[in-house]
Amino acid sequence: MDPMEALDFAKAGGLVTAIAQDDASGEILMVAYMNADSFRRTLETGQVVYWSRSRQELWHKGETSGNVQIVKSISIDCDGDAVLLRVEQRGGAACHTGKRSCFFRRLEGGAWVDEGVQVFDPDEVYGR
């Protein structure tokens, strides 16, 4: 069976949820979206390509920052509408904020606490 046939892109308007997990540590790095083209390109290149909902274009993770994600394995959920990407996070940061993981805020005593590791300065990398 073609790997594309197991995914249900139609359910969410052409997208599936994509979860990136560090293959070595198990840490959840980020959640994003993929369309059929980004999933196909990920399979072809071995590096993760997402679909940017805000820019409405393919997003080769790390193309600007150098923090690419190398695919180690891919799993899908029972409904075929979520993809788990076990990746090697090259460059150390998965988040556009320059943090190691997008999940760097933890709720503690009713307030959000930043416990993230800052890997790079986004102003320097993206020129904001």
Side-chain angles (χ1 to χ4, degrees), residues 10-76:
K11 189 182 292 183
L15 301 175
V16 294
T17 302
I19 303 156
Q21 182 178 29
D22 185 273
D23 189 54
S25 70
E27 177 183 21
I28 300 299
L29 300 172
M30 57 181 284
V31 175
Y33 297 90
M34 298 177 106
N35 65 9
D37 194 25
S38 66
F39 186 76
R40 189 175 299 107
R41 287 184 190 218
T42 296
L43 294 177
E44 291 169 356
T45 66
Q47 293 188 5
V48 183
V49 177
Y50 296 107
W51 174 256
S52 171
R53 295 181 303 164
S54 60
R55 295 187 312 266
Q56 292 291 293
E57 64 185 18
L58 292 176
W59 160 34
H60 180 184
K61 180 66 179 156
E63 189 170 39
T64 302
S65 68
N67 293 280
V68 297
Q69 294 176 339
I70 307 300
V71 176
K72 295 299 183 178
S73 70
I74 301 174
S75 302
I76 61 172

